[in-house]
Amino acid sequence: KRNKSQNDHLVLGATNYSWGAPQKARTAALDRHALWQKGEGAHAQSETLLPGTDLLDGYSVMLVGEFDQPNHSKRTVAKRRKQRDSEIKGGGYCTRGNISLLLQLCSANVYDVDSVATQRHIKKGLSANHWTEIMSARPLGALENGSSFEDALQSSVEEEGSDSNSIIVMVKDKSDSKLATEFLNQMSSVDPSMAKGKVSKIPVVSCEWLLDSIGEFEVKSTSEYENSGMK
């Protein structure tokens, strides 16, 4: 039987977070649930409410590049050593499954490009069929009538203000930043609404942006994690 003096929650596995961040996250989750119970808030029309917070509500995140190491892939000794170093620094947490789940728990819409086109396809040049599937893709875990990526992209384009970063491209680390940039360049050529100037405003960030935002329970500026600034 639980002692009344004991905390009604525990913080497990958190080693790199700001003081008070877990409590802020818990409070936000409880407030979100309370609003839903009263039929209010962003999730008022949902029959069930998934666990989580609304930290990244309104964000659409595209996962581009390789997050999980293929078992059959051959790596040089130097590259394996680099990967081990990355895991020590936190990169080992950035698997596709972990990142997808964390994003969804923060209420972000997650689009997995690799489920439609691999990095080999991007380097070769995505076909019209690839782009049709990407644009019509629904967020992971969403209902079939959920907004497509094309809808999210169009909504972002129509938003006023250059500081709006509701669309984000996420890669595991800076080694895939060029791949993501190539992906965006191809997007600008197939989507008339995405001129190169607009594409250049879509940030390409490492998964550290997500981990740091959760660790401080504050959405971090993407500029600290883009391209040359990526960790």
mmCIF file of all heavy atoms in Angstrom, residues 191-217:
data_model
loop_
_atom_site.group_PDB
_atom_site.id
_atom_site.type_symbol
_atom_site.label_atom_id
_atom_site.label_comp_id
_atom_site.label_asym_id
_atom_site.label_seq_id
_atom_site.Cartn_x
_atom_site.Cartn_y
_atom_site.Cartn_z
ATOM 1 N N ASP A 191 6.717 21.043 -55.902
ATOM 2 C CA ASP A 191 5.553 21.700 -55.318
ATOM 3 C C ASP A 191 5.586 23.186 -55.687
ATOM 4 O O ASP A 191 6.436 23.932 -55.204
ATOM 5 C CB ASP A 191 5.559 21.542 -53.789
ATOM 6 C CG ASP A 191 4.267 22.046 -53.162
ATOM 7 O OD1 ASP A 191 3.544 22.810 -53.824
ATOM 8 O OD2 ASP A 191 3.990 21.685 -52.009
ATOM 9 N N PRO A 192 4.675 23.650 -56.538
ATOM 10 C CA PRO A 192 4.674 25.047 -56.994
ATOM 11 C C PRO A 192 4.587 26.053 -55.850
ATOM 12 O O PRO A 192 5.061 27.179 -55.981
ATOM 13 C CB PRO A 192 3.417 25.123 -57.881
ATOM 14 C CG PRO A 192 3.123 23.723 -58.269
ATOM 15 C CD PRO A 192 3.576 22.873 -57.121
ATOM 16 N N SER A 193 3.968 25.660 -54.736
ATOM 17 C CA SER A 193 3.798 26.597 -53.619
ATOM 18 C C SER A 193 5.066 26.765 -52.803
ATOM 19 O O SER A 193 5.175 27.666 -51.980
ATOM 20 C CB SER A 193 2.668 26.123 -52.695
ATOM 21 O OG SER A 193 3.034 24.922 -52.034
ATOM 22 N N MET A 194 6.051 25.864 -53.045
ATOM 23 C CA MET A 194 7.272 25.902 -52.252
ATOM 24 C C MET A 194 8.439 26.460 -53.064
ATOM 25 O O MET A 194 9.265 25.728 -53.602
ATOM 26 C CB MET A 194 7.613 24.494 -51.742
ATOM 27 C CG MET A 194 6.609 23.954 -50.756
ATOM 28 S SD MET A 194 6.412 25.019 -49.315
ATOM 29 C CE MET A 194 8.024 24.847 -48.548
ATOM 30 N N ALA A 195 8.494 27.781 -53.188
ATOM 31 C CA ALA A 195 9.633 28.414 -53.851
ATOM 32 C C ALA A 195 10.867 28.189 -52.992
ATOM 33 O O ALA A 195 10.772 27.910 -51.795
ATOM 34 C CB ALA A 195 9.369 29.905 -54.019
ATOM 35 N N LYS A 196 12.043 28.308 -53.601
ATOM 36 C CA LYS A 196 13.277 28.023 -52.872
ATOM 37 C C LYS A 196 13.410 28.887 -51.628
ATOM 38 O O LYS A 196 13.933 28.467 -50.616
ATOM 39 C CB LYS A 196 14.488 28.217 -53.780
ATOM 40 C CG LYS A 196 14.673 27.098 -54.783
ATOM 41 C CD LYS A 196 16.105 27.017 -55.241
ATOM 42 C CE LYS A 196 16.244 25.838 -56.201
ATOM 43 N NZ LYS A 196 17.042 24.799 -55.694
ATOM 44 N N GLY A 197 12.914 30.136 -51.711
ATOM 45 C CA GLY A 197 13.002 31.019 -50.554
ATOM 46 C C GLY A 197 12.205 30.488 -49.376
ATOM 47 O O GLY A 197 12.619 30.611 -48.224
ATOM 48 N N LYS A 198 11.057 29.869 -49.669
ATOM 49 C CA LYS A 198 10.221 29.317 -48.603
ATOM 50 C C LYS A 198 10.825 28.036 -48.047
ATOM 51 O O LYS A 198 10.778 27.776 -46.850
ATOM 52 C CB LYS A 198 8.803 29.067 -49.125
ATOM 53 C CG LYS A 198 8.057 30.348 -49.485
ATOM 54 C CD LYS A 198 6.674 30.059 -50.043
ATOM 55 C CE LYS A 198 5.940 31.347 -50.377
ATOM 56 N NZ LYS A 198 4.612 31.095 -50.975
ATOM 57 N N VAL A 199 11.395 27.219 -48.949
ATOM 58 C CA VAL A 199 12.020 25.975 -48.515
ATOM 59 C C VAL A 199 13.192 26.257 -47.580
ATOM 60 O O VAL A 199 13.415 25.541 -46.610
ATOM 61 C CB VAL A 199 12.490 25.150 -49.730
ATOM 62 C CG1 VAL A 199 13.429 24.044 -49.300
ATOM 63 C CG2 VAL A 199 11.288 24.552 -50.443
ATOM 64 N N SER A 200 13.938 27.317 -47.883
ATOM 65 C CA SER A 200 15.112 27.637 -47.070
ATOM 66 C C SER A 200 14.746 28.004 -45.639
ATOM 67 O O SER A 200 15.593 27.979 -44.755
ATOM 68 C CB SER A 200 15.896 28.786 -47.709
ATOM 69 O OG SER A 200 15.143 29.987 -47.692
ATOM 70 N N LYS A 201 13.473 28.325 -45.410
ATOM 71 C CA LYS A 201 13.037 28.680 -44.057
ATOM 72 C C LYS A 201 12.617 27.469 -43.242
ATOM 73 O O LYS A 201 12.353 27.582 -42.053
ATOM 74 C CB LYS A 201 11.870 29.676 -44.133
ATOM 75 C CG LYS A 201 12.268 31.030 -44.715
ATOM 76 C CD LYS A 201 11.069 31.948 -44.829
ATOM 77 C CE LYS A 201 11.459 33.273 -45.470
ATOM 78 N NZ LYS A 201 10.285 34.167 -45.634
ATOM 79 N N ILE A 202 12.533 26.291 -43.900
ATOM 80 C CA ILE A 202 12.203 25.072 -43.164
ATOM 81 C C ILE A 202 13.480 24.576 -42.482
ATOM 82 O O ILE A 202 14.445 24.221 -43.158
ATOM 83 C CB ILE A 202 11.650 23.982 -44.099
ATOM 84 C CG1 ILE A 202 10.339 24.447 -44.740
ATOM 85 C CG2 ILE A 202 11.425 22.686 -43.324
ATOM 86 C CD1 ILE A 202 9.741 23.442 -45.706
ATOM 87 N N PRO A 203 13.515 24.555 -41.161
ATOM 88 C CA PRO A 203 14.742 24.162 -40.474
ATOM 89 C C PRO A 203 15.011 22.666 -40.558
ATOM 90 O O PRO A 203 14.088 21.851 -40.550
ATOM 91 C CB PRO A 203 14.494 24.593 -39.025
ATOM 92 C CG PRO A 203 13.012 24.591 -38.883
ATOM 93 C CD PRO A 203 12.455 24.962 -40.230
ATOM 94 N N VAL A 204 16.281 22.327 -40.664
ATOM 95 C CA VAL A 204 16.737 20.936 -40.593
ATOM 96 C C VAL A 204 17.488 20.797 -39.282
ATOM 97 O O VAL A 204 18.535 21.418 -39.086
ATOM 98 C CB VAL A 204 17.667 20.582 -41.774
ATOM 99 C CG1 VAL A 204 18.207 19.166 -41.618
ATOM 100 C CG2 VAL A 204 16.934 20.732 -43.101
ATOM 101 N N VAL A 205 16.945 20.011 -38.363
ATOM 102 C CA VAL A 205 17.532 19.915 -37.030
ATOM 103 C C VAL A 205 17.905 18.482 -36.695
ATOM 104 O O VAL A 205 17.373 17.529 -37.269
ATOM 105 C CB VAL A 205 16.561 20.449 -35.944
ATOM 106 C CG1 VAL A 205 16.180 21.888 -36.214
ATOM 107 C CG2 VAL A 205 15.312 19.569 -35.857
ATOM 108 N N SER A 206 18.810 18.333 -35.759
ATOM 109 C CA SER A 206 19.146 17.008 -35.243
ATOM 110 C C SER A 206 18.137 16.621 -34.173
ATOM 111 O O SER A 206 17.394 17.466 -33.647
ATOM 112 C CB SER A 206 20.554 17.023 -34.639
ATOM 113 O OG SER A 206 20.578 17.810 -33.457
ATOM 114 N N CYS A 207 18.121 15.354 -33.812
ATOM 115 C CA CYS A 207 17.176 14.896 -32.791
ATOM 116 C C CYS A 207 17.496 15.493 -31.419
ATOM 117 O O CYS A 207 16.656 15.452 -30.516
ATOM 118 C CB CYS A 207 17.158 13.369 -32.721
ATOM 119 S SG CYS A 207 18.711 12.629 -32.177
ATOM 120 N N GLU A 208 18.681 16.084 -31.273
ATOM 121 C CA GLU A 208 19.022 16.733 -30.011
ATOM 122 C C GLU A 208 18.083 17.897 -29.715
ATOM 123 O O GLU A 208 17.858 18.246 -28.560
ATOM 124 C CB GLU A 208 20.469 17.225 -30.040
ATOM 125 C CG GLU A 208 21.516 16.113 -30.029
ATOM 126 C CD GLU A 208 21.453 15.268 -28.766
ATOM 127 O OE1 GLU A 208 21.237 15.844 -27.686
ATOM 128 O OE2 GLU A 208 21.596 14.053 -28.861
ATOM 129 N N TRP A 209 17.535 18.505 -30.774
ATOM 130 C CA TRP A 209 16.570 19.590 -30.566
ATOM 131 C C TRP A 209 15.374 19.088 -29.763
ATOM 132 O O TRP A 209 14.910 19.751 -28.830
ATOM 133 C CB TRP A 209 16.098 20.130 -31.921
ATOM 134 C CG TRP A 209 14.948 21.094 -31.823
ATOM 135 C CD1 TRP A 209 15.010 22.412 -31.485
ATOM 136 C CD2 TRP A 209 13.555 20.806 -32.038
ATOM 137 N NE1 TRP A 209 13.741 22.972 -31.483
ATOM 138 C CE2 TRP A 209 12.839 22.007 -31.819
ATOM 139 C CE3 TRP A 209 12.864 19.662 -32.412
ATOM 140 C CZ2 TRP A 209 11.453 22.085 -31.959
ATOM 141 C CZ3 TRP A 209 11.486 19.739 -32.543
ATOM 142 C CH2 TRP A 209 10.790 20.939 -32.325
ATOM 143 N N LEU A 210 14.898 17.904 -30.118
ATOM 144 C CA LEU A 210 13.760 17.315 -29.409
ATOM 145 C C LEU A 210 14.145 16.957 -27.981
ATOM 146 O O LEU A 210 13.411 17.285 -27.031
ATOM 147 C CB LEU A 210 13.276 16.074 -30.149
ATOM 148 C CG LEU A 210 12.224 15.226 -29.435
ATOM 149 C CD1 LEU A 210 10.946 16.026 -29.229
ATOM 150 C CD2 LEU A 210 11.936 13.950 -30.221
ATOM 151 N N LEU A 211 15.284 16.290 -27.801
ATOM 152 C CA LEU A 211 15.703 15.851 -26.470
ATOM 153 C C LEU A 211 15.926 17.046 -25.543
ATOM 154 O O LEU A 211 15.543 17.006 -24.364
ATOM 155 C CB LEU A 211 16.978 15.014 -26.566
ATOM 156 C CG LEU A 211 16.878 13.728 -27.400
ATOM 157 C CD1 LEU A 211 18.217 12.997 -27.404
ATOM 158 C CD2 LEU A 211 15.776 12.814 -26.870
ATOM 159 N N ASP A 212 16.516 18.117 -26.063
ATOM 160 C CA ASP A 212 16.763 19.301 -25.234
ATOM 161 C C ASP A 212 15.463 20.039 -24.916
ATOM 162 O O ASP A 212 15.301 20.582 -23.813
ATOM 163 C CB ASP A 212 17.743 20.243 -25.928
ATOM 164 C CG ASP A 212 19.166 19.697 -25.946
ATOM 165 O OD1 ASP A 212 19.412 18.687 -25.262
ATOM 166 O OD2 ASP A 212 20.029 20.279 -26.630
ATOM 167 N N SER A 213 14.539 20.068 -25.877
ATOM 168 C CA SER A 213 13.248 20.719 -25.624
ATOM 169 C C SER A 213 12.487 19.987 -24.529
ATOM 170 O O SER A 213 11.884 20.611 -23.640
ATOM 171 C CB SER A 213 12.407 20.743 -26.912
ATOM 172 O OG SER A 213 12.998 21.557 -27.897
ATOM 173 N N ILE A 214 12.526 18.656 -24.576
ATOM 174 C CA ILE A 214 11.862 17.870 -23.534
ATOM 175 C C ILE A 214 12.593 18.024 -22.212
ATOM 176 O O ILE A 214 11.978 18.160 -21.149
ATOM 177 C CB ILE A 214 11.810 16.380 -23.945
ATOM 178 C CG1 ILE A 214 10.878 16.191 -25.145
ATOM 179 C CG2 ILE A 214 11.345 15.504 -22.779
ATOM 180 C CD1 ILE A 214 10.871 14.783 -25.705
ATOM 181 N N GLY A 215 13.937 18.019 -22.264
ATOM 182 C CA GLY A 215 14.730 18.104 -21.045
ATOM 183 C C GLY A 215 14.526 19.393 -20.272
ATOM 184 O O GLY A 215 14.681 19.426 -19.051
ATOM 185 N N GLU A 216 14.160 20.456 -20.980
ATOM 186 C CA GLU A 216 13.897 21.737 -20.313
ATOM 187 C C GLU A 216 12.412 22.082 -20.336
ATOM 188 O O GLU A 216 12.009 23.123 -19.823
ATOM 189 C CB GLU A 216 14.709 22.852 -20.980
ATOM 190 C CG GLU A 216 16.213 22.629 -20.853
ATOM 191 C CD GLU A 216 17.025 23.791 -21.392
ATOM 192 O OE1 GLU A 216 16.478 24.907 -21.468
ATOM 193 O OE2 GLU A 216 18.200 23.584 -21.719
ATOM 194 N N PHE A 217 11.623 21.209 -20.960
ATOM 195 C CA PHE A 217 10.194 21.424 -21.181
ATOM 196 C C PHE A 217 9.945 22.834 -21.701
ATOM 197 O O PHE A 217 9.149 23.609 -21.191
ATOM 198 C CB PHE A 217 9.361 21.178 -19.926
ATOM 199 C CG PHE A 217 7.916 20.896 -20.265
ATOM 200 C CD1 PHE A 217 7.573 19.723 -20.916
ATOM 201 C CD2 PHE A 217 6.923 21.801 -19.969
ATOM 202 C CE1 PHE A 217 6.258 19.470 -21.278
ATOM 203 C CE2 PHE A 217 5.597 21.550 -20.316
ATOM 204 C CZ PHE A 217 5.272 20.386 -20.964
#
